[in-house]
Amino acid sequence: MEIWINPACSKCRSAVQLLDAEGADYTVRRYLEDVPGEDEIREVLTRLGLEPWDIARTQEAAAKELGLKEWPRDAGSRDRWIRALAEHPRLIQRPIITADDGTAVVARSDEAVRDALSRT
C-alpha cells in the first residue's frame, strides 16, 4: 500500500496517523517532491475509478491561473487534465491510498482510510 501525501496537509497527517495506529504496512510518497508522471496518474485514476477532474483541486492558485474550472470535462479533454495534474502536482487531491488489491481511494476521511485498509 502506498499513500500520496503533502506533509503540510492535515488530512494527510490524519490518514498517516490512522495507518500507524492500525499497524498498516505502507509506503509514504511525498508526491510534490516525487511527482507522478502522466502514465502513473492514468493508472491511479483507473484504480480509483475516477476521471482527472474528479481529483483536481480547483481552488488552488495554479488551477485558477489555468482556468481549470472552465475546462471541458469530457473524453477529448482527459489528456489535457492529466497533463495539468502532472505539471502541477498541487492540483492532485490528497491523500490518495493505493491498496494492495489494485484499487485506490481518496482518503480524506477516517472511513476512506479504513476502506483502503480493508482492501489489503
Side-chain angles (χ1 to χ4, degrees):
M1 161 179 330
E2 181 177 78
I3 182 169
W4 292 9
I5 69 161
N6 172 354
C9 166
S10 63
K11 300 272 187 200
C12 293
R13 292 191 306 272
S14 293
V16 167
Q17 287 174 346
L18 183 52
L19 291 173
D20 288 343
E22 295 291 331
D25 181 22
Y26 66 96
T27 303
V28 170
R29 179 172 184 174
R30 294 179 177 211
Y31 72 95
L32 297 179
E33 298 164 17
D34 183 7
V35 179
E38 291 181 33
D39 288 341
E40 195 170 8
I41 292 170
R42 280 186 189 87
E43 178 189 338
V44 166
L45 287 167
T46 298
R47 293 175 78 168
L48 287 165
L50 297 173
E51 292 296 338
W53 45 85
D54 295 326
I55 66 164
R57 297 173 55 85
T58 59
Q59 298 303 315
E60 290 288 329
K64 292 176 181 174
E65 288 172 21
L66 293 169
L68 213 59
K69 280 190 174 182
E70 283 72 48
W71 287 14
R73 296 175 182 216
D74 56 30
S77 302
R78 190 171 200 267
D79 286 343
R80 181 181 183 200
W81 280 85
I82 290 169
R83 192 168 35 260
L85 294 175
E87 290 174 1
H88 307 277
R90 284 197 180 280
L91 297 178
I92 300 172
Q93 189 58 263
R94 59 190 184 249
I96 293 176
I97 298 176
T98 56
D100 294 339
D101 71 351
T103 62
V105 296
V106 178
R108 294 190 57 76
S109 69
D110 287 354
E111 289 173 355
V113 175
R114 287 191 179 92
D115 181 31
L117 283 167
S118 73
R119 300 176 186 206
T120 58

